[in-house]
Amino acid sequence: MALVLTALAGATVFFASAALFDSVPMLTLCAIVTVILGSYGAGRLWARMVRKPVPALNLLACATIFGLVCAATGYALVGRAAHQDDRAVVSGSSYWDLPTGSTIAYRHLPAAGGAARSTPVIFLHGGPGTAGDGLPPASAELAAAGYDVYSYDQVGSGRSSRLPRVEDYTVDRQVRDLEAIREVIAADRIVVIGQSWGGILAARYAAAHPDHVAGVVISSPGALWAPEYPDGSDGNIRAHENPAMTAELEETGNSPRVLTASVLQAINPVAAHNFWTDNEADEMFRRQLEILAPLAQAPDRRADLVPASPPGYWVNQMTGADLASVDDPRPALRNVHVPVLVMRGQYDYKSWPVTREYRDTFPNSTMVLIPDAGHAIAADRPELYTANIVAFLTDGRPALPRYEGAEPPPGFANAAR
């Protein structure tokens, strides 16, 4: 019993040490020392109880062996970290090396005929951390209309670089990267088109750099300011309402290695990242996205929504956490008078006030409702997604009528599936 308690004490010290150290070898050393000292003390206590003298050197040797056995058992249970590759070098990809320190993979579609408008279009993917494959819908049509079109993998996701320290994944870092991209492509102003988290990023960029924004298109956005929705913003369509989905999600996190990483993340994300590499975390994140994908779609549409581009677990976790502490952007956005288009799908799982707030905050905004579309409007209704964006940017108004109601029409309020 004493040895079992000693082993448990070693495991406890392993996690507790994460409050002081980022290094996994240091955490392991603290645990081994705890087990050795604890088992040595238990041995001395046992010798006194049975009144049989045992040489201290022998006890120490046994305690050391026991400590190493515990460490080896823990290693065997948890496993070895997967190799962490260099995502900054991928054949066939184009890259920007930004002054922020990010290496960004991107795709570029030049304006047709070489007659580009003065304001390029930049697509911002969702997540955070769920970069797409290739250029989004509407890209070819926008290029034909004279726009230079760019789409990039945000740092920490897709083919772009991962940051050495997860603490650097912040909302501000994403905004600074986007501003650096604007400078790299030598554009005085840009049009930003953001999906989900990308809509949040588009709004944050407009608040920080209003003079460099010519227009904003926001599709299925997340909460403009997370503290406004302390109970969440995902309406009443959640994974936990589907027992089969919940069971699948729980299965992805049941391995000893994932459980260990989860505990470390709650204590010290840097130590957790040192323990659980990007490749491992990204692979688990992919499995979770595959399970959750149906929540983003309309009931009768089941396209494959998980791209081949590797998702970014750590940028998702850390940027998402940072969203809860950033300043309220709404006062600044009320003074941003550029044209803004807000699109909401009929079956979007985000609560209605989340989307409506974008329309109500930007003074020159237009909202349209996309029928038979979920959170992933571009996947569910690519033709309407494209038509509204192109018409809005070229003619000043979308293809569908604008919606001005305070409440959603029937069937648009997080309709059950």
Side-chain angles (χ1 to χ4, degrees), residues 293-294 296-297 303-307 376 379-380:
Q297 299 174 274
D304 183 6
L305 293 183
V306 182
D380 284 349

Side-chain angles (χ1 to χ4, degrees), residues 67-406:
L68 294 176
V69 168
C70 288
T73 302
Y75 181 82
L77 286 174
V78 171
R80 177 180 294 181
H83 173 65
Q84 186 168 336
D85 66 1
D86 181 6
R87 297 179 190 272
V89 182
V90 179
S91 176
S93 298
S94 299
Y95 288 89
W96 289 308
D97 288 319
L98 302 181
T100 59
S102 301
T103 300
I104 298 296
Y106 73 96
R107 292 151 294 278
H108 174 214
L109 185 62
R117 296 174 184 253
S118 59
T119 52
V121 169
I122 300 180
F123 282 92
L124 308 175
H125 65 71
T130 54
D133 294 326
L135 289 158
S139 298
E141 291 79 359
L142 288 172
Y147 288 97
D148 263 332
V149 179
Y150 293 89
S151 176
Y152 72 96
D153 298 351
Q154 296 158 25
V155 67
S157 64
R159 310 297 181 185
S160 292
S161 62
R162 270 53 176 170
L163 298 179
R165 290 182 62 85
V166 292
E167 291 174 318
D168 294 335
Y169 289 127
T170 63
V171 177
D172 178 67
R173 174 58 173 264
Q174 299 291 354
V175 171
R176 288 190 292 113
D177 278 354
L178 180 52
E179 172 62 4
I181 289 170
R182 181 196 66 78
E183 294 175 347
V184 166
I185 64 177
D188 180 53
R189 298 200 301 165
I190 57 177
V191 173
V192 285
I193 302 178
Q195 157 67 21
S196 192
W197 143 254
I200 300 174
L201 177 56
R204 288 273 164 187
Y205 181 80
H209 302 282
D211 294 339
H212 295 306
V213 177
V216 180
V217 176
I218 294 170
S219 171
S220 306
L224 190 54
W225 189 51
E228 184 74 12
Y229 304 90
D231 297 327
S233 62
D234 292 349
N236 44 12
I237 300 178
R238 301 172 186 267
H240 64 68
E241 295 177 355
N242 185 322
M245 184 177 289
T246 300
E248 286 186 84
L249 285 173
E250 290 177 349
E251 187 177 349
T252 66
N254 280 341
S255 73
R257 186 164 185 81
V258 175
L259 292 172
T260 302
S262 298
V263 175
L264 284 176
Q265 184 177 343
I267 301 169
N268 182 349
V270 176
H273 180 242
N274 291 336
F275 174 83
W276 203 32
T277 66
D278 286 300
N279 278 4
E280 290 181 287
D282 292 355
E283 182 56 34
M284 189 202 70
F285 190 29
R286 172 181 292 282
R287 294 198 301 271
Q288 292 178 335
L289 290 173
E290 291 170 347
I291 295 168
L292 292 169
L295 293 181
Q297 299 174 274
D300 60 342
R301 298 178 185 273
R302 289 293 180 264
D304 183 6
L305 293 183
V306 182
S309 185
Y313 173 84
W314 285 109
V315 68
N316 175 273
Q317 294 291 295
M318 300 305 292
T319 309
D322 188 51
L323 275 171
S325 62
V326 292
D327 294 337
D328 185 352
R330 293 172 297 182
L333 293 177
R334 293 187 181 102
N335 295 315
V336 176
H337 293 273
V338 300
V340 176
L341 173 65
V342 181
M343 293 188 289
R344 178 182 175 86
Q346 180 178 359
Y347 300 100
D348 191 356
Y349 59 80
K350 295 294 183 182
S351 64
W352 169 259
V354 167
T355 313
R356 186 190 61 201
E357 188 170 39
Y358 282 79
R359 182 200 65 186
D360 296 344
T361 300
F362 283 99
N364 186 16
S365 64
T366 298
M367 176 192 281
V368 297
L369 305 181
I370 311 297
D372 198 23
H375 187 67
I377 297 174
D380 284 349
R381 301 299 304 272
E383 74 289 350
L384 283 179
Y385 177 83
T386 298
N388 280 284
I389 291 176
V390 174
F392 183 75
L393 294 183
T394 56
D395 298 332
R397 56 183 178 178
L400 291 175
R402 63 186 301 162
Y403 187 78
E404 299 180 353

